[in-house]
PDB file of all heavy atoms in Angstrom:
ATOM      1  N   GLU B 427     104.944 166.300  54.810  1.00 97.00           N
ATOM      2  CA  GLU B 427     105.934 167.213  54.249  1.00 97.00           C
ATOM      3  C   GLU B 427     105.775 168.646  54.769  1.00 97.00           C
ATOM      4  O   GLU B 427     104.623 169.017  55.092  1.00 97.00           O
ATOM      5  CB  GLU B 427     105.754 167.304  52.718  1.00 97.00           C
ATOM      6  CG  GLU B 427     106.126 165.948  51.990  1.00 97.00           C
ATOM      7  CD  GLU B 427     105.729 166.084  50.489  1.00 97.00           C
ATOM      8  OE1 GLU B 427     105.994 167.182  49.926  1.00 97.00           O
ATOM      9  OE2 GLU B 427     105.074 165.213  49.994  1.00 97.00           O
ATOM     10  N   ALA B 428     106.831 169.318  54.760  1.00 98.00           N
ATOM     11  CA  ALA B 428     106.781 170.768  55.197  1.00 98.00           C
ATOM     12  C   ALA B 428     106.072 171.632  54.162  1.00 98.00           C
ATOM     13  O   ALA B 428     105.633 172.753  54.382  1.00 98.00           O
ATOM     14  CB  ALA B 428     108.201 171.311  55.319  1.00 98.00           C
ATOM     15  N   ARG B 429     105.721 170.939  53.007  1.00 98.00           N
ATOM     16  CA  ARG B 429     104.973 171.583  52.004  1.00 98.00           C
ATOM     17  C   ARG B 429     103.504 171.853  52.456  1.00 98.00           C
ATOM     18  O   ARG B 429     102.725 172.591  51.817  1.00 98.00           O
ATOM     19  CB  ARG B 429     104.989 170.780  50.756  1.00 98.00           C
ATOM     20  CG  ARG B 429     104.251 171.233  49.475  1.00 98.00           C
ATOM     21  CD  ARG B 429     104.634 170.486  48.252  1.00 98.00           C
ATOM     22  NE  ARG B 429     105.971 170.606  47.875  1.00 98.00           N
ATOM     23  CZ  ARG B 429     106.483 171.673  47.369  1.00 98.00           C
ATOM     24  NH1 ARG B 429     105.762 172.765  47.099  1.00 98.00           N
ATOM     25  NH2 ARG B 429     107.790 171.737  46.950  1.00 98.00           N
ATOM     26  N   TYR B 430     103.080 171.189  53.440  1.00 98.00           N
ATOM     27  CA  TYR B 430     101.745 171.353  54.112  1.00 98.00           C
ATOM     28  C   TYR B 430     101.800 172.105  55.375  1.00 98.00           C
ATOM     29  O   TYR B 430     102.779 172.026  56.100  1.00 98.00           O
ATOM     30  CB  TYR B 430     101.187 169.900  54.312  1.00 98.00           C
ATOM     31  CG  TYR B 430     100.749 169.150  53.093  1.00 98.00           C
ATOM     32  CD1 TYR B 430     101.726 168.301  52.481  1.00 98.00           C
ATOM     33  CD2 TYR B 430      99.520 169.212  52.534  1.00 98.00           C
ATOM     34  CE1 TYR B 430     101.424 167.613  51.318  1.00 98.00           C
ATOM     35  CE2 TYR B 430      99.241 168.563  51.351  1.00 98.00           C
ATOM     36  CZ  TYR B 430     100.203 167.715  50.769  1.00 98.00           C
ATOM     37  OH  TYR B 430      99.911 166.998  49.651  1.00 98.00           O
ATOM     38  N   THR B 431     100.667 172.852  55.627  1.00 98.00           N
ATOM     39  CA  THR B 431     100.490 173.555  56.810  1.00 98.00           C
ATOM     40  C   THR B 431      99.044 173.375  57.298  1.00 98.00           C
ATOM     41  O   THR B 431      98.189 173.485  56.537  1.00 98.00           O
ATOM     42  CB  THR B 431     100.893 174.984  56.701  1.00 98.00           C
ATOM     43  OG1 THR B 431     102.201 175.136  56.329  1.00 98.00           O
ATOM     44  CG2 THR B 431     100.642 175.789  58.053  1.00 98.00           C
ATOM     45  N   ARG B 432      98.875 173.208  58.669  1.00 98.00           N
ATOM     46  CA  ARG B 432      97.525 173.112  59.202  1.00 98.00           C
ATOM     47  C   ARG B 432      97.158 174.479  59.717  1.00 98.00           C
ATOM     48  O   ARG B 432      97.895 175.125  60.452  1.00 98.00           O
ATOM     49  CB  ARG B 432      97.464 172.087  60.315  1.00 98.00           C
ATOM     50  CG  ARG B 432      96.122 171.747  60.880  1.00 98.00           C
ATOM     51  CD  ARG B 432      96.104 171.045  62.131  1.00 98.00           C
ATOM     52  NE  ARG B 432      96.280 171.950  63.225  1.00 98.00           N
ATOM     53  CZ  ARG B 432      96.158 171.557  64.571  1.00 98.00           C
ATOM     54  NH1 ARG B 432      95.804 170.267  64.837  1.00 98.00           N
ATOM     55  NH2 ARG B 432      96.394 172.363  65.505  1.00 98.00           N
ATOM     56  N   LEU B 433      95.908 174.899  59.307  1.00 98.00           N
ATOM     57  CA  LEU B 433      95.389 176.162  59.905  1.00 98.00           C
ATOM     58  C   LEU B 433      94.122 175.848  60.643  1.00 98.00           C
ATOM     59  O   LEU B 433      93.178 175.136  60.186  1.00 98.00           O
ATOM     60  CB  LEU B 433      95.049 177.173  58.794  1.00 98.00           C
ATOM     61  CG  LEU B 433      96.171 177.612  57.902  1.00 98.00           C
ATOM     62  CD1 LEU B 433      95.695 178.686  56.818  1.00 98.00           C
ATOM     63  CD2 LEU B 433      97.250 178.328  58.717  1.00 98.00           C
ATOM     64  N   SER B 434      94.081 176.365  61.953  1.00 98.00           N
ATOM     65  CA  SER B 434      92.924 176.117  62.781  1.00 98.00           C
ATOM     66  C   SER B 434      91.754 177.014  62.512  1.00 98.00           C
ATOM     67  O   SER B 434      91.993 178.197  62.293  1.00 98.00           O
ATOM     68  CB  SER B 434      93.374 176.232  64.272  1.00 98.00           C
ATOM     69  OG  SER B 434      92.192 176.176  65.061  1.00 98.00           O
ATOM     70  N   LEU B 435      90.610 176.405  62.288  1.00 98.00           N
ATOM     71  CA  LEU B 435      89.333 177.206  61.969  1.00 98.00           C
ATOM     72  C   LEU B 435      88.366 177.253  63.135  1.00 98.00           C
ATOM     73  O   LEU B 435      87.230 177.771  62.989  1.00 98.00           O
ATOM     74  CB  LEU B 435      88.726 176.523  60.771  1.00 98.00           C
ATOM     75  CG  LEU B 435      89.602 176.346  59.525  1.00 98.00           C
ATOM     76  CD1 LEU B 435      88.761 175.639  58.479  1.00 98.00           C
ATOM     77  CD2 LEU B 435      90.102 177.680  59.025  1.00 98.00           C
ATOM     78  N   ILE B 436      88.775 176.789  64.324  1.00 98.00           N
ATOM     79  CA  ILE B 436      87.854 176.682  65.434  1.00 98.00           C
ATOM     80  C   ILE B 436      88.119 177.651  66.546  1.00 98.00           C
ATOM     81  O   ILE B 436      87.518 177.535  67.691  1.00 98.00           O
ATOM     82  CB  ILE B 436      87.753 175.288  65.961  1.00 98.00           C
ATOM     83  CG1 ILE B 436      89.204 174.758  66.329  1.00 98.00           C
ATOM     84  CG2 ILE B 436      87.156 174.261  64.952  1.00 98.00           C
ATOM     85  CD1 ILE B 436      89.209 173.339  66.923  1.00 98.00           C
ATOM     86  N   LYS B 437      89.025 178.567  66.358  1.00 98.00           N
ATOM     87  CA  LYS B 437      89.309 179.499  67.341  1.00 98.00           C
ATOM     88  C   LYS B 437      88.241 180.691  67.423  1.00 98.00           C
ATOM     89  O   LYS B 437      87.222 180.536  66.757  1.00 98.00           O
ATOM     90  CB  LYS B 437      90.746 180.193  67.139  1.00 98.00           C
ATOM     91  CG  LYS B 437      91.839 179.069  67.277  1.00 98.00           C
ATOM     92  CD  LYS B 437      93.227 179.738  67.089  1.00 98.00           C
ATOM     93  CE  LYS B 437      93.636 180.444  68.208  1.00 98.00           C
ATOM     94  NZ  LYS B 437      94.978 181.121  68.018  1.00 98.00           N
ATOM     95  N   SER B 438      88.512 181.737  68.138  1.00 97.00           N
ATOM     96  CA  SER B 438      87.537 182.776  68.362  1.00 97.00           C
ATOM     97  C   SER B 438      87.186 183.453  67.060  1.00 97.00           C
ATOM     98  O   SER B 438      87.955 183.349  66.032  1.00 97.00           O
ATOM     99  CB  SER B 438      87.948 183.833  69.297  1.00 97.00           C
ATOM    100  OG  SER B 438      89.008 184.585  68.804  1.00 97.00           O
ATOM    101  N   GLN B 439      86.004 184.212  66.996  1.00 98.00           N
ATOM    102  CA  GLN B 439      85.685 184.901  65.774  1.00 98.00           C
ATOM    103  C   GLN B 439      86.724 185.926  65.412  1.00 98.00           C
ATOM    104  O   GLN B 439      87.105 186.036  64.228  1.00 98.00           O
ATOM    105  CB  GLN B 439      84.310 185.588  65.868  1.00 98.00           C
ATOM    106  CG  GLN B 439      83.624 185.938  64.624  1.00 98.00           C
ATOM    107  CD  GLN B 439      83.284 184.808  63.733  1.00 98.00           C
ATOM    108  OE1 GLN B 439      83.055 183.643  64.266  1.00 98.00           O
ATOM    109  NE2 GLN B 439      83.344 184.957  62.494  1.00 98.00           N
ATOM    110  N   ASP B 440      87.300 186.631  66.396  1.00 97.00           N
ATOM    111  CA  ASP B 440      88.364 187.608  66.193  1.00 97.00           C
ATOM    112  C   ASP B 440      89.562 186.864  65.399  1.00 97.00           C
ATOM    113  O   ASP B 440      90.116 187.379  64.477  1.00 97.00           O
ATOM    114  CB  ASP B 440      88.873 188.131  67.510  1.00 97.00           C
ATOM    115  CG  ASP B 440      88.019 189.287  67.978  1.00 97.00           C
ATOM    116  OD1 ASP B 440      87.187 189.772  67.159  1.00 97.00           O
ATOM    117  OD2 ASP B 440      88.089 189.597  69.202  1.00 97.00           O
ATOM    118  N   ASP B 441      89.931 185.732  65.944  1.00 98.00           N
ATOM    119  CA  ASP B 441      91.037 185.034  65.363  1.00 98.00           C
ATOM    120  C   ASP B 441      90.698 184.639  63.873  1.00 98.00           C
ATOM    121  O   ASP B 441      91.562 184.703  63.012  1.00 98.00           O
ATOM    122  CB  ASP B 441      91.379 183.631  66.142  1.00 98.00           C
ATOM    123  CG  ASP B 441      92.071 184.012  67.531  1.00 98.00           C
ATOM    124  OD1 ASP B 441      92.962 184.853  67.511  1.00 98.00           O
ATOM    125  OD2 ASP B 441      91.608 183.498  68.437  1.00 98.00           O
ATOM    126  N   PHE B 442      89.475 184.161  63.737  1.00 98.00           N
ATOM    127  CA  PHE B 442      89.184 183.781  62.343  1.00 98.00           C
ATOM    128  C   PHE B 442      89.133 184.957  61.371  1.00 98.00           C
ATOM    129  O   PHE B 442      89.616 184.810  60.228  1.00 98.00           O
ATOM    130  CB  PHE B 442      87.805 182.964  62.290  1.00 98.00           C
ATOM    131  CG  PHE B 442      87.461 182.540  60.951  1.00 98.00           C
ATOM    132  CD1 PHE B 442      88.073 181.431  60.349  1.00 98.00           C
ATOM    133  CD2 PHE B 442      86.484 183.176  60.166  1.00 98.00           C
ATOM    134  CE1 PHE B 442      87.697 180.973  59.120  1.00 98.00           C
ATOM    135  CE2 PHE B 442      86.075 182.692  58.973  1.00 98.00           C
ATOM    136  CZ  PHE B 442      86.720 181.614  58.381  1.00 98.00           C
ATOM    137  N   GLU B 443      88.479 185.972  61.839  1.00 98.00           N
ATOM    138  CA  GLU B 443      88.469 187.188  60.968  1.00 98.00           C
ATOM    139  C   GLU B 443      89.914 187.689  60.574  1.00 98.00           C
ATOM    140  O   GLU B 443      90.123 188.000  59.395  1.00 98.00           O
ATOM    141  CB  GLU B 443      87.708 188.382  61.612  1.00 98.00           C
ATOM    142  CG  GLU B 443      86.199 188.054  61.970  1.00 98.00           C
ATOM    143  CD  GLU B 443      85.406 187.782  60.713  1.00 98.00           C
ATOM    144  OE1 GLU B 443      85.834 188.136  59.559  1.00 98.00           O
ATOM    145  OE2 GLU B 443      84.285 187.167  60.918  1.00 98.00           O
ATOM    146  N   LEU B 444      90.775 187.648  61.515  1.00 98.00           N
ATOM    147  CA  LEU B 444      92.101 188.115  61.196  1.00 98.00           C
ATOM    148  C   LEU B 444      92.791 187.143  60.248  1.00 98.00           C
ATOM    149  O   LEU B 444      93.438 187.523  59.337  1.00 98.00           O
ATOM    150  CB  LEU B 444      92.971 188.233  62.543  1.00 98.00           C
ATOM    151  CG  LEU B 444      94.353 188.880  62.253  1.00 98.00           C
ATOM    152  CD1 LEU B 444      94.262 190.305  61.820  1.00 98.00           C
ATOM    153  CD2 LEU B 444      95.066 188.837  63.698  1.00 98.00           C
ATOM    154  N   LEU B 445      92.574 185.837  60.522  1.00 98.00           N
ATOM    155  CA  LEU B 445      93.172 184.853  59.589  1.00 98.00           C
ATOM    156  C   LEU B 445      92.682 185.007  58.190  1.00 98.00           C
ATOM    157  O   LEU B 445      93.438 185.063  57.214  1.00 98.00           O
ATOM    158  CB  LEU B 445      92.716 183.397  60.078  1.00 98.00           C
ATOM    159  CG  LEU B 445      93.094 182.316  59.157  1.00 98.00           C
ATOM    160  CD1 LEU B 445      94.651 182.110  58.992  1.00 98.00           C
ATOM    161  CD2 LEU B 445      92.536 180.945  59.582  1.00 98.00           C
ATOM    162  N   LEU B 446      91.356 185.187  58.045  1.00 98.00           N
ATOM    163  CA  LEU B 446      90.796 185.459  56.723  1.00 98.00           C
ATOM    164  C   LEU B 446      91.362 186.681  56.066  1.00 98.00           C
ATOM    165  O   LEU B 446      91.613 186.688  54.822  1.00 98.00           O
ATOM    166  CB  LEU B 446      89.235 185.528  56.862  1.00 98.00           C
ATOM    167  CG  LEU B 446      88.475 184.957  55.684  1.00 98.00           C
ATOM    168  CD1 LEU B 446      88.716 183.412  55.648  1.00 98.00           C
ATOM    169  CD2 LEU B 446      87.012 185.184  55.818  1.00 98.00           C
ATOM    170  N   GLN B 447      91.475 187.694  56.865  1.00 97.00           N
ATOM    171  CA  GLN B 447      92.089 188.971  56.326  1.00 97.00           C
ATOM    172  C   GLN B 447      93.492 188.729  55.787  1.00 97.00           C
ATOM    173  O   GLN B 447      93.840 189.024  54.590  1.00 97.00           O
ATOM    174  CB  GLN B 447      92.063 190.026  57.385  1.00 97.00           C
ATOM    175  CG  GLN B 447      92.655 191.364  56.990  1.00 97.00           C
ATOM    176  CD  GLN B 447      92.831 192.401  58.121  1.00 97.00           C
ATOM    177  OE1 GLN B 447      92.040 192.339  59.096  1.00 97.00           O
ATOM    178  NE2 GLN B 447      93.766 193.249  58.005  1.00 97.00           N
ATOM    179  N   ARG B 448      94.363 188.025  56.563  1.00 98.00           N
ATOM    180  CA  ARG B 448      95.703 187.791  56.137  1.00 98.00           C
ATOM    181  C   ARG B 448      95.712 186.842  54.967  1.00 98.00           C
ATOM    182  O   ARG B 448      96.548 187.051  54.053  1.00 98.00           O
ATOM    183  CB  ARG B 448      96.515 187.146  57.336  1.00 98.00           C
ATOM    184  CG  ARG B 448      96.681 188.011  58.579  1.00 98.00           C
ATOM    185  CD  ARG B 448      97.791 189.024  58.304  1.00 98.00           C
ATOM    186  NE  ARG B 448      97.903 189.831  59.565  1.00 98.00           N
ATOM    187  CZ  ARG B 448      97.648 191.157  59.635  1.00 98.00           C
ATOM    188  NH1 ARG B 448      97.122 191.793  58.529  1.00 98.00           N
ATOM    189  NH2 ARG B 448      97.785 191.865  60.736  1.00 98.00           N
ATOM    190  N   LEU B 449      94.845 185.868  54.923  1.00 98.00           N
ATOM    191  CA  LEU B 449      94.818 184.956  53.795  1.00 98.00           C
ATOM    192  C   LEU B 449      94.400 185.772  52.496  1.00 98.00           C
ATOM    193  O   LEU B 449      95.048 185.515  51.420  1.00 98.00           O
ATOM    194  CB  LEU B 449      93.829 183.833  54.034  1.00 98.00           C
ATOM    195  CG  LEU B 449      94.256 182.729  54.956  1.00 98.00           C
ATOM    196  CD1 LEU B 449      93.109 181.806  55.298  1.00 98.00           C
ATOM    197  CD2 LEU B 449      95.446 181.941  54.479  1.00 98.00           C
ATOM    198  N   THR B 450      93.416 186.653  52.662  1.00 98.00           N
ATOM    199  CA  THR B 450      92.998 187.413  51.472  1.00 98.00           C
ATOM    200  C   THR B 450      94.153 188.308  51.000  1.00 98.00           C
ATOM    201  O   THR B 450      94.434 188.372  49.756  1.00 98.00           O
ATOM    202  CB  THR B 450      91.744 188.251  51.895  1.00 98.00           C
ATOM    203  OG1 THR B 450      90.856 187.529  52.559  1.00 98.00           O
ATOM    204  CG2 THR B 450      91.157 188.941  50.696  1.00 98.00           C
ATOM    205  N   GLU B 451      94.817 188.892  51.890  1.00 97.00           N
ATOM    206  CA  GLU B 451      96.074 189.699  51.584  1.00 97.00           C
ATOM    207  C   GLU B 451      97.078 188.809  50.790  1.00 97.00           C
ATOM    208  O   GLU B 451      97.653 189.122  49.802  1.00 97.00           O
ATOM    209  CB  GLU B 451      96.740 190.280  52.770  1.00 97.00           C
ATOM    210  CG  GLU B 451      95.898 191.422  53.407  1.00 97.00           C
ATOM    211  CD  GLU B 451      96.320 191.687  54.863  1.00 97.00           C
ATOM    212  OE1 GLU B 451      97.304 191.150  55.282  1.00 97.00           O
ATOM    213  OE2 GLU B 451      95.622 192.503  55.510  1.00 97.00           O
ATOM    214  N   LEU B 452      97.270 187.630  51.377  1.00 97.00           N
ATOM    215  CA  LEU B 452      98.223 186.625  50.764  1.00 97.00           C
ATOM    216  C   LEU B 452      97.858 186.305  49.378  1.00 97.00           C
ATOM    217  O   LEU B 452      98.706 186.466  48.406  1.00 97.00           O
ATOM    218  CB  LEU B 452      98.238 185.344  51.618  1.00 97.00           C
ATOM    219  CG  LEU B 452      99.080 184.223  51.156  1.00 97.00           C
ATOM    220  CD1 LEU B 452     100.533 184.420  51.541  1.00 97.00           C
ATOM    221  CD2 LEU B 452      98.682 182.867  51.778  1.00 97.00           C
TER     222      LEU B 452
END
Side-chain angles (χ1 to χ4, degrees):
Chain B
E427 294 171 44
R429 181 170 295 287
Y430 291 87
T431 299
R432 189 194 79 170
L433 298 180
S434 174
L435 306 177
I436 54 179
K437 296 181 74 182
S438 72
Q439 200 60 33
D440 280 343
D441 288 312
F442 182 73
E443 296 299 342
L444 187 63
L445 173 65
L446 215 64
Q447 181 187 330
R448 294 281 181 251
L449 285 171
T450 311
E451 288 162 7
L452 178 77

